[in-house]
Amino acid sequence: MRGIYRLHGLVYMYYKVDGMEAPHGRAPAVLTGIKRCRPDWWASHTGDGDLASIGMGEIVHACARGEKITVIFVNNANYGMTGGQLAPTTLLDMYTSSTTDGRKSEQAGFPIRVCEMLATLDGPSYITRVSVHSPANVRKAKKAISLAFKAQVAGLGLALVEVISPCPINWKVEPAKAGDWVVKNMLPQYPLGEFKVTPEIES
């Protein structure tokens, strides 16, 4: 498998895969070009401050075209790697380093539900939201990612897996309580489940 990653993290140091880094928000566009030249098994790993902000146009049009790629989209409701600033997915009244009084809709708008929005397009073959706040949910997330790769291998169209991920440092909660924070705060805004499934994936 080959992957496209954002600049932060240098994931090739941690994963045994071929990889290429893309500018912030541009992974779907870069991945599209590479996939068309090298139709191997490709995936993109991206965050909510990446895909849902500067990269929103990239993912919307990749979905509209039905690009045969896999996108793993991590949502922790903030810019987790650059200081915990407001992201498009930040919850209302949630504190971040750039919303010290909490997110207010009249100033920053409302949180964006990416899966629900992209599922209205015809191009994607598989769109789902999972979480990794408990061992049982980690197993479900693994299954969802496997289905996303299956969709790509079958050439069915873009597959996106949104992963709700704890961020105890920027949420300012103890790591052991971060899972409870996900259940109490994240899941009401971002319910888990499949939003689009092409029948051929499960056959």
Side-chain angles (χ1 to χ4, degrees):
M1 186 188 77
R2 295 173 167 82
I4 293 287
Y5 308 102
R6 289 189 305 128
L7 183 59
H8 298 295
L10 302 177
V11 294
Y12 55 77
M13 296 171 62
Y14 306 100
Y15 301 144
K16 292 183 178 179
V17 296
D18 293 334
M20 177 170 286
E21 295 169 359
H24 194 260
R26 305 304 188 245
V30 173
L31 186 55
T32 293
I34 294 173
K35 174 76 176 186
R36 290 184 180 194
C37 296
R38 293 283 305 273
D40 300 314
W41 188 18
W42 286 92
S44 169
H45 174 270
T46 183
D48 50 339
D50 178 23
L51 178 137
S53 58
I54 193 170
M56 181 62 82
E58 311 290 350
I59 190 61
V60 166
H61 289 285
C63 284
R65 295 189 305 268
E67 298 293 345
K68 297 172 179 62
I69 58 177
T70 302
V71 177
I72 311 302
F73 162 52
V74 180
N75 177 359
N76 59 15
N78 71 99
Y79 279 81
M81 298 186 74
T82 59
Q85 301 94 332
L86 172 80
T89 53
T90 299
L91 306 173
L92 289 178
D93 296 320
M94 180 177 169
Y95 168 88
T96 73
S97 62
S98 59
T99 54
T100 54
D101 294 325
R103 179 180 190 156
K104 305 303 179 189
S105 62
E106 59 271 20
Q107 296 172 335
F110 293 89
I112 296 175
R113 294 184 183 95
V114 172
C115 285
E116 289 87 334
M117 179 180 65
L118 296 179
T120 66
L121 301 173
D122 294 329
S125 63
Y126 181 60
I127 296 181
T128 189
R129 182 182 292 126
V130 296
S131 180
V132 290
H133 71 275
S134 70
N137 279 280
V138 169
R139 287 192 292 274
K140 292 176 182 177
K142 286 182 174 181
K143 181 179 178 183
I145 291 170
S146 294
L147 282 174
F149 288 140
K150 183 178 178 182
Q152 183 182 165
V153 170
L156 299 176
L158 190 144
L160 181 139
V161 179
E162 178 178 350
V163 181
I164 302 296
S165 174
C167 188
I169 292 176
N170 289 321
W171 292 351
K172 302 199 180 338
V173 298
E174 294 294 323
K177 296 180 180 179
D180 295 335
W181 201 96
V182 167
V183 173
K184 180 181 178 182
N185 299 288
M186 293 288 283
L187 299 190
Q189 177 70 31
Y190 301 109
L192 306 182
E194 294 178 329
F195 295 88
K196 186 169 186 181
V197 184
T198 299
E200 292 87 343
I201 295 174
E202 298 180 330
S203 61

